[in-house]
Amino acid sequence: MPSFDLSLKAMLHRLALVLVLVGCRGDDKHALPVVKPSGEPTEPQPAPKVDMSDIEARMKTMFGATQAPDTAAQIAKLEAQRATVPEGERELLDRTIALIKAGEIAMAEKDKVKARQLQLQLTRDTIALYDDMAAAAADDLGTNAMVASSLKLTADQVESLGLADEISPRAIKAKARAIAERMIKVHATTSRAWALHASVTPYSEPETRLRSLARCVKLDATNVWCKKYLDDERADYVRPYCEGSDLKPVSLEWREVSKKPIAGSSTVEHHYETFHVAPTTTFTWKDVVRVQADEPRTEIHRADGKVEHQISSSVTFELAPGKLDAMVAWSRVLELREDGYALFLDGKLLFIEQRARWEDSNPGISNVKIDQFCTKTKTRMLPPLG
């Protein structure tokens, strides 16, 4: 099997970094508010959960820089490889160099409309290149794992850049999932393949994630990443929940809000600003079919170097089939209009959100207990993990 250490993998590192830097130019539009019981938000909470395998962790470390790399130096390194890589890879290398240059142009563009067009084309071309890199690497686990990780990262960038109406994040994640499915067949006895599979499996399939993590740990008990996520997701799996007749008859509703007048609207003050609230609701408690308890963990880095771990109580709401997609689409329309939505509980405003939702992030409320929404709760039994 050919080695891709000096060619495809190098291209992946540099190409993924370009996309991250393009995405980091704007504000993080997708941080969700943490809401106190009083309804006052605290600091934004990172959302949604994004986990990484050991491969992705190394990539994230690389992406930690806030300044753009020396593009000329990056291109020079790739061009220096042209004479040594196989002919088939040379075409991929040339496309990588072209995309790095395109990324520079996209980052420098001041016109928002033109910048968005450049970002769209850059993302589409990058995804196509990832597809061809995975095909060129055949069954090479290292390269395919990096391609899958890069695809997952690209899906998040599509969300952050507001391109999700033109490029489906789910379709990108499906590509990553397909790669991981192939890797666990070809490398069934390699823990790294199962770590990758767990990392690209959505949280809506907890049993599959748990089994992949358990297989990873069974194959390599020293894999810290798999051990940590297996422990965390076991705990998440058995957290209390309620549904159906056990849901309390609370008044929960999401309404459109705007700083501009809306026909028939009322007004509300929020963070010293006046918002107009639509007279009708778009989503209500009737759209919620399940409430799940959660315990978000926050790391606080103290001045003396010590790290404190704080755990709070919160809930997430599972919506009826199709409703989450409808809420995501609604929030995107509102964001394009520079409007948002407000969440009310028993007539009290909890928060106003002016950013579009992520496709795979269920709505919820932080710093509340599940007893506020359930007459009684249940817990799930862990599935057999082998």
Side-chain angles (χ1 to χ4, degrees):
M1 182 177 292
S3 170
F4 298 99
D5 286 343
L6 297 179
S7 51
L8 289 183
K9 291 179 183 178
M11 294 183 225
L12 279 162
H13 274 305
R14 290 170 176 82
L15 187 55
L17 179 56
V18 168
L19 278 182
V20 171
L21 290 169
V22 170
C24 288
R25 290 182 69 241
D27 296 332
D28 177 9
K29 301 189 296 181
H30 295 281
L32 299 182
V34 175
V35 183
K36 297 179 181 178
S38 63
E40 283 300 315
T42 60
E43 291 297 317
Q45 141 189 7
K49 289 190 275 189
V50 179
D51 60 349
M52 289 173 292
S53 66
D54 55 337
I55 302 158
E56 293 172 292
R58 293 202 304 273
M59 294 176 71
K60 185 177 182 182
T61 300
M62 177 183 173
F63 301 151
T66 56
Q67 294 182 341
D70 183 340
T71 304
Q74 298 284 339
I75 292 173
K77 288 179 181 179
L78 291 175
E79 287 181 336
Q81 296 178 15
R82 292 191 85 260
T84 61
V85 300
E87 186 175 347
E89 290 182 41
R90 199 168 300 153
E91 186 263 343
L92 298 177
L93 190 148
D94 289 340
R95 287 164 64 187
T96 301
I97 292 172
L99 286 172
I100 291 174
K101 292 177 178 178
E104 284 287 293
I105 295 171
M107 284 188 282
E109 180 57 61
K110 303 299 182 184
D111 183 276
K112 289 185 177 180
V113 175
K114 290 182 180 178
R116 193 172 192 279
Q117 292 172 343
L118 291 171
Q119 290 163 356
L120 265 173
Q121 192 59 51
L122 174 65
T123 304
R124 287 179 175 137
D125 290 346
T126 300
I127 293 168
L129 182 55
Y130 285 153
D131 288 341
D132 292 342
M133 285 179 169
D139 296 330
D140 181 83
L141 176 57
T143 299
N144 275 276
M146 290 182 67
V147 170
S149 300
S150 298
L151 284 167
K152 185 178 176 184
L153 183 65
T154 300
D156 292 338
Q157 292 304 316
V158 165
E159 297 265 22
S160 296
L161 290 168
L163 306 178
D165 285 336
E166 290 87 352
I167 303 174
S168 168
R170 285 183 186 164
I172 302 172
K173 291 175 183 177
K175 290 176 179 287
R177 179 78 176 271
I179 290 172
E181 294 284 354
R182 191 171 78 250
M183 290 300 100
I184 60 172
K185 291 177 182 177
V186 177
H187 302 278
T189 59
T190 305
S191 65
R192 193 180 184 191
W194 291 97
L196 171 68
H197 190 260
S199 74
V200 299
T201 299
Y203 280 91
S204 58
E205 300 179 35
E207 292 87 358
T208 302
R209 288 177 60 89
L210 283 167
R211 290 190 180 100
S212 293
L213 289 166
R215 181 71 64 89
C216 174
V217 172
K218 185 175 182 178
L219 290 168
D220 180 7
T222 66
N223 190 312
V224 176
W225 183 87
C226 286
K227 178 71 167 62
K228 177 185 183 304
Y229 273 94
L230 179 59
D231 291 344
D232 289 348
E233 296 193 27
R234 274 175 170 161
D236 288 341
Y237 191 80
V238 297
R239 293 202 194 286
Y241 73 94
C242 73
E243 57 191 351
S245 61
D246 295 328
L247 294 170
K248 285 184 177 178
V250 300
S251 175
L252 188 74
E253 56 187 34
W254 289 265
R255 293 175 182 255
E256 178 183 352
V257 295
S258 175
K259 293 180 181 178
K260 302 178 288 291
I262 300 175
S265 65
S266 56
T267 59
V268 64
E269 297 295 319
H270 180 67
H271 287 181
Y272 307 104
E273 292 185 296
T274 299
F275 288 86
H276 298 268
V277 183
T280 57
T281 61
T282 306
F283 298 94
T284 70
W285 184 242
K286 292 180 180 179
D287 298 314
V288 176
V289 296
R290 182 179 183 137
V291 180
Q292 177 79 50
D294 196 8
E295 291 186 351
R297 299 167 181 82
T298 304
E299 282 190 359
I300 299 176
H301 295 265
R302 293 173 23 179
D304 59 7
K306 293 183 179 179
V307 178
E308 292 182 359
H309 296 270
Q310 290 188 353
I311 300 176
S312 58
S313 297
S314 68
V315 297
T316 57
F317 303 119
E318 184 177 326
L319 303 183
K323 289 293 184 178
L324 179 58
D325 287 345
M327 179 178 280
V328 170
W330 175 59
S331 69
R332 286 176 182 160
V333 171
L334 295 178
E335 184 182 57
L336 288 174
R337 295 207 303 251
E338 297 186 348
D339 291 335
Y341 59 89
L343 178 66
F344 291 89
L345 177 61
D346 293 329
K348 184 175 181 178
L349 174 68
L350 293 188
F351 63 83
I352 289 175
E353 181 55 76
Q354 294 181 270
R355 297 163 293 186
R357 293 194 57 80
W358 292 72
E359 281 191 332
D360 301 322
S361 175
N362 287 328
I365 304 176
S366 297
N367 295 321
V368 295
K369 294 185 180 298
I370 194 170
D371 295 347
Q372 189 170 346
F373 303 93
C374 304
T375 56
K376 62 180 180 180
T377 59
K378 308 172 187 175
T379 56
R380 292 181 292 191
M381 297 291 291
L382 281 169
L385 299 179

